[in-house]
Amino acid sequence: MSTVPVWKRPSIAPKPVLNTKHIRENPDLYQQTCIDRNYRDQQDNPRKIVRLHYQLVQLQRNARDLRQLRNIVRTKLASAPLPDDVSGTDTDSKGDRLLAEAKQLKEQFSKVEVQEDDLRERIETLAIDLPNLTSTETPIGREPRVLGYINNFSNAGQPSAARNHTYIGKQFDILDFEAAGTTSGWGWYFLKNEGALLEQALVQYALSVAMKHGFSMVTPPSMVYSHIAGACGFQPRDQGGEQQSYVIAQQQRRASLEQEGKPEMVMAGTAEILFAGMKANTTLEARRLPLKVVGASRCYRAEAGARGSDTKGLYRVHEFTKVEMFAWTLKDEEQAVFNAMLAVQKEILGGLGLNCRILEMPSTDLGASAVRKIDIETFFPSRQLRGEGWGEVTSASICTDYQTRRLNTRVKSDTAKAEKEITPGPKATVQSSDFPSTINGTAMAVPRVIAALLENRWNEKDDYVQVPEVLQYWMHGKTHIRKKDT
C-alpha cells in the first residue's frame, strides 16, 4: 500500500502538542494499534520515534557539553588582559586563540541546534500520523458487535426488496437524479416538493431534540483550512487511497500560495471539523464543561461515486445536509457525554418509527481520531438485495485528546469543577495543562433518512408515503405524500 498523503501545515496552523513520551514508553501498543486499524504504513512509526529520540538525547548531551565549554571560554576571555597591557604579543596570541575557539564552539553549537530541530520535526511528523489508541470496548478486526435494537426490530414481515426510494421518489416527483446528472454529474440530486420540505423538517426535528438535551446551536462554514481538517484526523485520501475531500482550486495563485506558506482550503466533509477547529488555540474553563454544540451544515464527500451499487440513489452522495453534535469534556466525563449523545440519536430515530440496530464498530472501521465508535443502522428494504438490508444513519465517536492536542485546545484548572459534583463516584479533576476530550455524533444524516422513510413508510396498496407524526408540524400539517395530479 502506498503512503497516504497528508495536508501541509502552514506556519499559521495551531502548534500540535503530542504526547510522544507515551509513544516511546509504549511502542508495542501503538504498533499493534496501527495493525489492528489497518494503518500498516504507520506501524513502524513508534519504533522510529524511539530511535530518533535516542539520537536527540545524544545530541542534547553534546549540546550541554558544548555549552559548558563555551561558558569556560567566555570566562577566560572576560579575564584575559587587554592588548595594551604589558603582556604584549603573548597576550594578543592568547586572546586570538580564545576568540577562535569561541567562534568554533558557536558554529558547532549552531549545527547541533539545527540537528535537534530536524529530529524534533521528524518525531512530530511520525507521531502526528499515528491513529488514536483503541478502546477495550472495540472489537478487534472487521466485524461489529450488535448492542441492541430500536423499535423492536424483527426480520419477520419486512417489506419487499422491490421497494426502492429512487423509484418511489421519482413516482411522487420529490427526487430528481436525471436533472442533477445534467447540471452537476453523477452522485448529485434534486430534492423537490415534499422532498425538499422533508429535508427541512428532519433538520428542525433533529435540532429541537438536541437542544432539548442541552446542546447550543451553531451554524458552521462549509469551507475549512486543510490543516484544520488534518488536525481532526481527516486526510486527502483514506487508508485505501480513495479521494475523500474536494480541494478548492487556487488557479494561477496556487503555486505562489504554496511558496508563501498560505493555507489550502477544502470543502468540509462534516461539521465536526469546523466545531473542533473553532476552539483551536484557546483555553476552556473546566467549570463550563461539557460544552455541547449542534448545527446543520452542507457536507461534501468526494468518494461518493467509487463504491459500486452502494452509490445508487441517496445512500452515498457527494453533497448532503447533516445535523452534527459535538462536545468538549473532561476525561472523567467522556462516557457520560457519549451516552447522552447516543440517547439523542436513539430518541430521534425512535421518534421517526424506523427499525434500527446499534453496533459497536470494529477497529478497522475507526477513523484516525476515534478510540471508540458506535453506529446506528436502519433497515432499508432495497438493500436486502446485497445483504441483510442494514445501512448506517448515525455514528458517535469518542476522540479523547487526539484533536485538542493537534489544535492546541486546552482546559484551565478549576477546583470548583470537582466541588460542584455532588453525586458519588470519582471526582472530575483537571491539571493546569490538560487537554479536553472531544465527542462527536450525527443527529441527522438527511438523505439517508429520507431514503429510509420512503422505503419503509410507503403504502404500496393505497400508493402514498406516511409522514411521521414528529415531522408533521414542520411539513405544514401534511400527513401523507401522494402522487401529483397530471
Side-chain angles (χ1 to χ4, degrees), residues 256-478:
S256 61
L257 286 173
E258 289 183 355
Q259 290 175 358
E260 296 170 13
K262 293 186 178 179
E264 188 173 51
M265 299 288 289
V266 298
M267 302 301 294
T270 170
E272 171 195 343
I273 301 169
L274 283 308
F275 289 153
M278 71 187 292
K279 296 299 181 182
N281 288 329
T282 61
T283 300
L284 307 176
E285 295 183 39
R287 64 187 179 86
R288 298 189 181 278
L289 299 183
L291 177 61
K292 303 187 294 184
V293 297
V294 63
S297 70
R298 297 293 276 180
C299 303
Y300 301 86
R301 305 282 175 89
E303 86 283 6
R307 300 182 188 267
S309 60
D310 216 19
T311 61
K312 294 180 179 179
L314 291 175
Y315 189 79
R316 198 177 296 278
V317 291
H318 289 301
E319 180 183 6
F320 58 97
T321 299
K322 180 160 72 82
V323 180
E324 182 77 4
M325 298 178 286
F326 193 89
W328 296 264
T329 182
L330 299 179
K331 175 74 175 175
D332 302 1
E333 298 176 343
E334 280 178 356
Q335 194 59 50
V337 175
F338 186 58
N339 290 340
M341 210 170 275
L342 289 170
V344 173
Q345 294 175 331
K346 293 174 185 177
E347 180 176 340
I348 289 171
L349 295 172
L352 292 172
L354 293 173
N355 292 321
C356 305
R357 67 176 183 178
I358 305 164
L359 301 177
E360 185 79 54
M361 298 309 291
S363 57
T364 54
D365 201 73
L366 299 183
S369 61
V371 298
R372 185 185 182 193
K373 183 159 81 90
I374 289 179
D375 284 1
I376 300 180
E377 297 182 334
T378 195
F379 184 80
F380 292 83
S382 65
R383 291 175 65 83
Q384 292 178 99
L385 296 173
R386 50 186 177 276
E388 297 179 355
W390 296 106
E392 176 197 339
V393 287
T394 73
S395 180
S397 299
I398 300 175
C399 298
T400 62
D401 60 3
Y402 182 96
Q403 295 173 331
T404 54
R405 281 185 173 275
R406 286 159 172 76
L407 292 167
N408 193 26
T409 303
R410 297 175 182 265
V411 58
K412 183 166 60 178
S413 177
D414 187 351
T415 55
K417 178 67 180 178
E419 294 171 0
K420 186 186 77 172
E421 295 188 355
I422 58 175
T423 55
K427 297 293 185 181
T429 56
V430 57
Q431 302 300 318
S432 59
S433 61
D434 274 355
F435 295 86
S437 297
T438 56
I439 319 287
N440 66 79
T442 315
M444 179 65 64
V446 171
R448 291 188 181 184
V449 172
I450 288 178
L453 291 174
L454 292 180
E455 293 188 11
N456 286 284
R457 301 183 75 88
W458 178 42
N459 184 317
E460 190 171 2
K461 178 182 177 182
D462 297 323
D463 206 19
Y464 66 79
V465 175
Q466 185 179 16
V467 177
E469 185 177 349
V470 294
L471 299 182
Q472 291 173 12
Y473 172 80
W474 290 287
M475 293 284 290
H476 303 288
K478 188 179 289 290

Side-chain angles (χ1 to χ4, degrees), residues 74-317:
R74 285 174 179 171
T75 302
K76 289 180 179 180
L77 278 170
S79 60
L82 296 175
D84 59 354
D85 282 357
V86 295
S87 307
T89 56
D90 289 340
T91 300
D92 293 344
S93 177
K94 182 179 180 181
D96 290 343
R97 286 197 302 271
L98 288 172
L99 286 171
E101 186 177 355
K103 182 180 179 181
Q104 184 181 26
L105 288 170
K106 181 180 179 181
E107 291 174 352
Q108 291 176 350
F109 190 78
S110 296
K111 289 180 180 177
V112 169
E113 284 185 320
V114 170
Q115 290 174 318
E116 285 183 6
D117 290 343
D118 178 64
L119 284 173
R120 288 192 184 95
E121 184 176 344
R122 290 165 63 188
I123 289 171
E124 181 182 278
T125 299
L126 291 168
I128 212 164
D129 286 347
L130 291 172
N132 208 339
L133 294 175
T134 305
S135 168
T136 55
E137 298 290 336
T138 298
I140 302 301
R142 298 183 176 277
E143 292 301 318
R145 182 171 66 250
V146 178
L147 300 177
Y149 293 89
I150 298 174
N151 289 331
N152 299 315
F153 174 81
S154 170
N155 281 308
Q158 285 303 315
S160 164
R163 289 172 172 255
N164 188 298
H165 69 274
T166 56
Y167 168 78
I168 299 168
K170 185 175 182 178
Q171 293 299 308
F172 284 78
D173 195 28
I174 60 177
L175 297 178
D176 193 337
F177 294 96
E178 289 77 11
T182 300
T183 63
S184 310
W186 200 79
W188 307 82
Y189 57 96
F190 281 101
L191 294 176
K192 301 166 57 180
N193 303 313
E194 290 92 341
L197 271 179
L198 197 55
E199 176 180 51
Q200 300 305 315
L202 287 168
V203 168
Q204 292 302 317
Y205 168 56
L207 288 173
S208 67
V209 175
M211 292 172 70
K212 181 180 70 176
H213 286 266
F215 285 80
S216 299
M217 188 170 166
V218 176
T219 300
S222 293
M223 291 170 60
V224 64
Y225 286 141
S226 59
H227 62 267
I228 297 294
C232 294
F234 295 85
Q235 297 300 339
R237 296 181 184 274
D238 62 18
Q239 292 302 303
E242 190 172 291
Q243 185 72 28
Q244 295 191 98
S245 303
Y246 285 109
V247 179
I248 304 303
Q250 304 285 353
Q251 299 180 355
Q252 293 85 359
R253 296 185 60 221
R254 184 178 180 86
S256 61
L257 286 173
E258 289 183 355
Q259 290 175 358
E260 296 170 13
K262 293 186 178 179
E264 188 173 51
M265 299 288 289
V266 298
M267 302 301 294
T270 170
E272 171 195 343
I273 301 169
L274 283 308
F275 289 153
M278 71 187 292
K279 296 299 181 182
N281 288 329
T282 61
T283 300
L284 307 176
E285 295 183 39
R287 64 187 179 86
R288 298 189 181 278
L289 299 183
L291 177 61
K292 303 187 294 184
V293 297
V294 63
S297 70
R298 297 293 276 180
C299 303
Y300 301 86
R301 305 282 175 89
E303 86 283 6
R307 300 182 188 267
S309 60
D310 216 19
T311 61
K312 294 180 179 179
L314 291 175
Y315 189 79
R316 198 177 296 278
V317 291

